[in-house]
Amino acid sequence: MIVFAIAVVFKLLTIQLVHGDKYSELAESRTVKNVTIPANRGNLYASDGSLLATSIPKYDIRIDAVTPTNKVFEAHLKALSDSLSKYSGKSSGYYQKELRKARANKNRYFLLARNINYTDYTRLRNFPLLNLGAFRGGLIVEQTTKREHPMGGIAQRSIGYERIDKDGHYVRAGIDGAFGEMYLRGTDGHRMKQKIGKGQWKPITDYNEIEPKDGYDVYTTIDVNIQDIAHHALLEQLEKYKADHGTVVVMETKTGEIRAISNLGRNSNGQYYERLNYAVGESHEPGSTFKIMAITAALEDKVVDTSDVVDTKNGILTYHGKKVRDSKHGGYGEISLAKAIEVSSNTAIVAAIDKAYKNQPSKFIDRLYAMNLNESLDLAIVGEPDPIIPDPRIKNGRWSGIALQWMAYGYGVSFTPLQTLTFYNAIANNGEMVKPQFLREVREFDKTIVPFKKEVINPKICSQETVDKVKKMLENVVEHGTGKKLYSPNFSMAGKTGTCQKDYAQKDKLSYISSFAGFFPADNPKYSCIVVIHEPDKSVGYYGADVSGPVFKKIAQKIFTDTPIYDEVETLEVENLAIDKSFEKYYEVAQAYKTIMPDVRGMPTMDALALLENMGLVVKIGGVGVVKTQSIEKGSKINRNQEVYLKI
């Protein structure tokens, strides 16, 4: 027994003196932990200050029913129960019973309210007993944050998110994800918690050891009005043509600021939602919208001119056994290159490019490179693929005997919608290619932390002469060519339709990509826009002018009518003979007649109304336009408050 006692004492001394620190740390790690308090993520705003995404704090309120002394607990139990009853609607007796039960069971983590907002949180923590804090009243507050999008599903994919997956990796999408780490995320705080049994933890203090620092607010270039227009215009057309998915982007011409971006895909139930960011991340063969890039290159190299006449050969050309066909049976005969763009003749464009570059294809490729068409836009939003342009000098299997001819009308090359739009925007911007901008500035309260300015990719992708010729051709496409259904005498547009076959290697899976890219107003472009719709129902329609064109027109029309295109009025001294003549007649009659009835026939309704009411008459009118008849004859004496009937 003495030997056993000595062994026990030796073991105790070993644990205490030799391994004491180790076991103390182990015990503390199992009973106390440092918990991360997430910082409030910064808000995302539209260009006008409208809220696009925000972090809403949510709170769980609990009570440690053991912490308060008996005297304190009994003194405040009734008042606390009454307050909770008013808050939740349950009876005061219910809460008295549950709180007594929690205290008897030594429940140190009794839930009072879950997932409440900040207003309710401040209200509850001022309830009796809870207002004594953590040490005397047993108050336990746990905060979480939830990301919310006030605009709902509109632009949700482009606005984006930043989440942590099950492996602890960040998953980033859209603007929120792209700028989360740099600006929005903030710095997390820390708080010590103690284990209280049954796997539950409670804060040791009622304050944080390290306070979290909230993220910065980010102001985007999105215009909520244009975004709403673009979203619903795209949605309407997708539903009409039962398409798989589509995207639309509206860009401000001078600055490259993205005013609207909508990406809608169809789910298994046939409903459309923001599925993927197609505008940024989906690269595809552009089809006929690439013809403008090809012709711009050829015009700049001065190997063709818009007046050149091309023979469309009955609408079919053959290269190495492969046929190029026009959509019009029999072709267009001999037409100018400008006309070929208007009617989107495949054979004419291919014949012109083949004749100009068949012996020097690298020259064509180099001109495309000079216009930066081989470069990605280097966007902060993740997922942008590089453009694909076959090059005979690069041995990657993309160049072949028909590569040049197929490229001429948009096959064998691949671009994202935003990359294509950037080129069209450069044409609208007189050759200056600007980088698409999603952010305007980063703020901390009212202080600007980081301003974002226009970034120029290429100050001049081609000469002004080439720009002017291309602009005119694009304007003619809408006025006389494939886009003539979109023409409006009230406002001018310019653009190019595109209809591209998809999955053409498998005839049973053949489908189409319908697109339209352009700018408006045509004479002084304010905005550029691209619409791309994938896999419309062929039985309903698939041509770019029919499927995507109406989206472009609806957006242009609504922006033109709902928002000011010009910020300044050059002069208000504009003569309008009709208005001047009307005013002169009104003034003459008003001066001549005071107490006798004037002749107001032929006068505009508002002028007649103002004149007669100023004379003290009570005017009754019927109809709109100009006055046709009057109930009181001209020259009759009138009295104040006398009624006169005007037929309009």
Side-chain angles (χ1 to χ4, degrees):
M1 288 181 68
I2 292 173
V3 172
F4 179 73
I6 293 172
V8 170
V9 171
F10 175 77
K11 189 64 176 176
L12 289 173
L13 292 173
T14 302
I15 292 172
Q16 183 69 30
L17 301 177
V18 179
H19 302 295
D21 293 340
K22 173 186 173 182
Y23 287 119
S24 294
E25 291 177 7
L26 182 62
E28 186 172 347
S29 68
R30 292 180 176 178
T31 58
V32 178
K33 67 178 180 180
N34 191 357
V35 178
T36 299
I37 307 298
N40 285 326
R41 195 173 183 84
N43 294 330
L44 266 180
Y45 292 96
S47 59
D48 65 348
S50 300
L51 196 59
L52 298 178
T54 185
S55 292
I56 304 295
K58 298 293 183 180
Y59 301 88
D60 290 348
I61 304 296
R62 299 176 183 270
I63 187 171
D64 179 351
V66 179
T67 294
T69 63
N70 285 332
K71 182 178 179 181
V72 170
F73 183 80
E74 293 298 335
H76 295 89
L77 178 61
K78 178 68 167 60
L80 173 61
S81 299
D82 290 344
S83 297
L84 290 171
S85 175
K86 290 179 181 178
Y87 173 76
S88 69
K90 296 180 180 178
S91 68
S92 176
Y94 166 82
Y95 281 108
Q96 291 186 54
K97 177 182 176 182
E98 291 298 317
L99 288 168
R100 288 190 185 280
K101 182 179 176 181
R103 186 170 176 84
N105 294 334
K106 301 189 183 303
N107 188 337
R108 313 197 71 165
Y109 207 60
F110 182 71
L111 180 67
L112 295 176
R114 185 191 298 277
N115 202 35
I116 61 175
N117 59 33
Y118 182 77
T119 303
D120 288 343
Y121 155 69
T122 55
R123 178 183 173 188
L124 261 72
R125 73 171 298 151
N126 287 311
F127 282 179
L129 187 60
L130 301 181
N131 60 5
L132 299 179
F135 294 119
R136 293 187 61 209
L139 173 66
I140 300 172
V141 179
E142 293 184 327
Q143 177 183 336
T144 57
T145 56
K146 181 182 179 183
R147 200 69 168 166
E148 293 191 353
H149 299 87
M151 289 181 66
I154 298 178
Q156 192 167 6
R157 192 73 190 184
S158 300
I159 294 170
Y161 58 83
E162 183 179 61
R163 300 171 185 161
I164 301 177
D165 63 17
K166 61 181 180 181
D167 298 320
H169 302 129
Y170 280 96
V171 179
R172 300 179 177 93
I175 299 171
D176 206 323
F179 301 99
E181 183 177 6
M182 194 178 302
Y183 303 120
L184 291 163
R185 196 184 297 172
T187 306
D188 293 340
H190 294 278
R191 189 176 194 181
M192 301 302 295
K193 285 191 175 184
Q194 184 178 28
K195 193 171 185 178
I196 57 176
K198 296 182 180 179
Q200 297 176 336
W201 298 78
K202 79 163 190 172
I204 295 176
T205 61
D206 60 352
Y207 58 87
N208 299 325
E209 275 70 24
I210 299 176
E211 290 294 334
K213 182 181 179 182
D214 294 345
Y216 294 126
D217 293 332
V218 171
Y219 283 74
T220 71
T221 60
I222 300 294
D223 183 306
V224 292
N225 293 321
I226 299 177
Q227 179 66 47
D228 185 63
I229 293 167
H231 173 88
H232 288 98
L234 177 64
L235 178 60
E236 180 182 342
Q237 208 70 353
L238 288 171
E239 291 175 338
K240 178 179 179 180
Y241 284 88
K242 304 173 186 176
D244 182 72
H245 64 274
T247 183
V248 57
V249 185
V250 180
M251 179 190 293
E252 192 172 81
T253 304
K254 300 296 183 185
T255 64
E257 292 187 346
I258 302 298
R259 293 302 182 205
I261 178 169
S262 184
N263 303 277
L264 297 175
R266 186 177 58 190
N267 62 18
S268 57
N269 297 323
Q271 302 296 315
Y272 291 94
Y273 68 107
E274 288 263 343
R275 190 169 69 185
L276 294 170
N277 198 333
Y278 303 110
V280 172
E282 185 177 42
S283 187
H284 59 85
E285 291 176 312
S288 293
T289 52
F290 185 80
K291 290 174 183 174
I292 295 299
M293 302 176 188
I295 291 301
T296 302
L299 288 171
E300 190 65 11
D301 282 339
K302 298 191 183 302
V303 294
V304 301
D305 194 26
T306 54
S307 60
D308 291 350
V309 175
V310 184
D311 188 356
T312 61
K313 302 288 186 183
N314 297 318
I316 301 177
L317 295 178
T318 304
Y319 296 94
H320 298 279
K322 300 290 185 180
K323 295 184 184 299
V324 178
R325 301 176 186 272
D326 275 328
S327 58
K328 180 184 177 183
H329 183 71
Y332 299 91
E334 294 185 355
I335 57 174
S336 69
L337 201 56
K339 187 66 176 179
I341 288 293
E342 287 181 28
V343 299
S344 198
S345 171
N346 296 333
T347 56
I349 302 301
V350 171
I353 297 299
D354 176 67
K355 180 181 178 181
Y357 293 107
K358 63 182 176 182
N359 296 323
Q360 48 182 354
S362 296
K363 183 178 180 180
F364 179 64
I365 304 303
D366 287 340
R367 179 56 63 185
L368 297 179
Y369 288 176
M371 296 189 296
N372 301 87
L373 292 175
N374 61 320
E375 300 172 5
S376 70
L377 299 171
D378 192 27
L379 302 173
I381 296 177
V382 297
E384 182 197 11
D386 291 330
I388 295 175
I389 298 178
D391 190 327
R393 297 159 294 190
I394 300 175
K395 308 302 180 184
N396 55 11
R398 291 197 175 115
W399 189 264
S400 67
I402 59 172
L404 175 66
Q405 295 77 17
W406 258 240
M407 286 173 63
Y409 70 119
Y411 289 91
V413 292
S414 186
F415 302 93
T416 67
L418 196 54
Q419 290 164 353
T420 300
L421 177 62
T422 301
F423 175 84
Y424 275 78
N425 190 76
I427 296 297
N429 199 24
N430 292 319
E432 184 182 59
M433 181 178 282
V434 293
K435 181 178 179 178
Q437 293 281 358
F438 288 91
L439 297 192
R440 179 167 283 180
E441 62 180 346
V442 176
R443 287 188 192 175
E444 184 178 30
F445 302 108
D446 293 332
K447 180 182 177 183
T448 299
I449 305 298
V450 182
F452 290 87
K453 298 181 180 179
K454 180 175 77 172
E455 291 186 43
V456 178
I457 298 174
N458 188 333
K460 204 72 175 175
I461 65 169
C462 59
S463 66
Q464 190 61 44
E465 180 185 1
T466 299
V467 166
D468 291 341
K469 289 179 179 179
V470 174
K471 276 186 173 181
K472 186 60 179 175
M473 287 190 291
L474 291 174
E475 194 170 352
N476 287 340
V477 167
V478 176
E479 289 187 8
H480 315 294
T482 54
K484 62 185 177 183
K485 292 181 180 178
L486 311 179
Y487 175 72
S488 171
N490 300 320
F491 63 96
S492 59
M493 300 176 289
K496 181 71 186 75
T497 58
T499 307
C500 177
Q501 291 186 357
K502 183 179 180 181
D503 299 323
Y504 44 81
Q506 305 176 55
K507 295 300 180 182
D508 59 325
K509 293 185 178 180
L510 178 65
S511 56
Y512 291 88
I513 302 172
S514 304
S515 57
F516 190 95
F519 46 86
F520 58 92
D523 53 348
N524 185 18
K526 176 75 171 176
Y527 299 103
S528 59
C529 176
I530 188 168
V531 183
V532 181
I533 293 179
H534 285 250
E535 302 176 32
D537 189 328
K538 295 191 290 288
S539 65
V540 184
Y542 57 85
Y543 285 111
D546 299 326
V547 180
S548 295
V551 180
F552 181 95
K553 181 180 181 180
K554 185 168 288 186
I555 293 170
Q557 194 169 22
K558 278 190 169 291
I559 291 176
F560 190 86
T561 55
D562 295 351
T563 61
I565 297 297
Y566 301 103
D567 297 325
E568 296 181 5
V569 177
E570 294 291 337
T571 176
L572 292 176
E573 297 179 4
V574 180
E575 291 188 6
N576 188 312
L577 295 178
I579 293 176
D580 291 347
K581 187 176 180 181
S582 173
F583 177 77
E584 288 172 4
K585 181 178 180 182
Y586 168 82
Y587 184 79
E588 182 183 339
V589 173
Q591 295 301 311
Y593 295 91
K594 298 294 183 182
T595 59
I596 60 173
M597 182 67 189
D599 185 1
V600 295
R601 291 174 299 178
M603 291 181 66
T605 305
M606 296 309 297
D607 286 353
L609 186 65
L611 174 66
L612 298 178
E613 286 185 343
N614 286 334
M615 295 175 66
L617 295 172
V618 178
V619 183
K620 305 290 185 180
I621 61 175
V624 293
V626 297
V627 179
K628 186 177 181 181
T629 62
Q630 57 191 63
S631 62
I632 302 177
E633 292 293 328
K634 174 189 174 182
S636 302
K637 186 173 178 60
I638 56 174
N639 300 313
R640 293 189 64 82
N641 298 321
Q642 185 177 350
E643 287 190 350
V644 57
Y645 297 90
L646 303 180
K647 185 176 181 182
I648 309 302

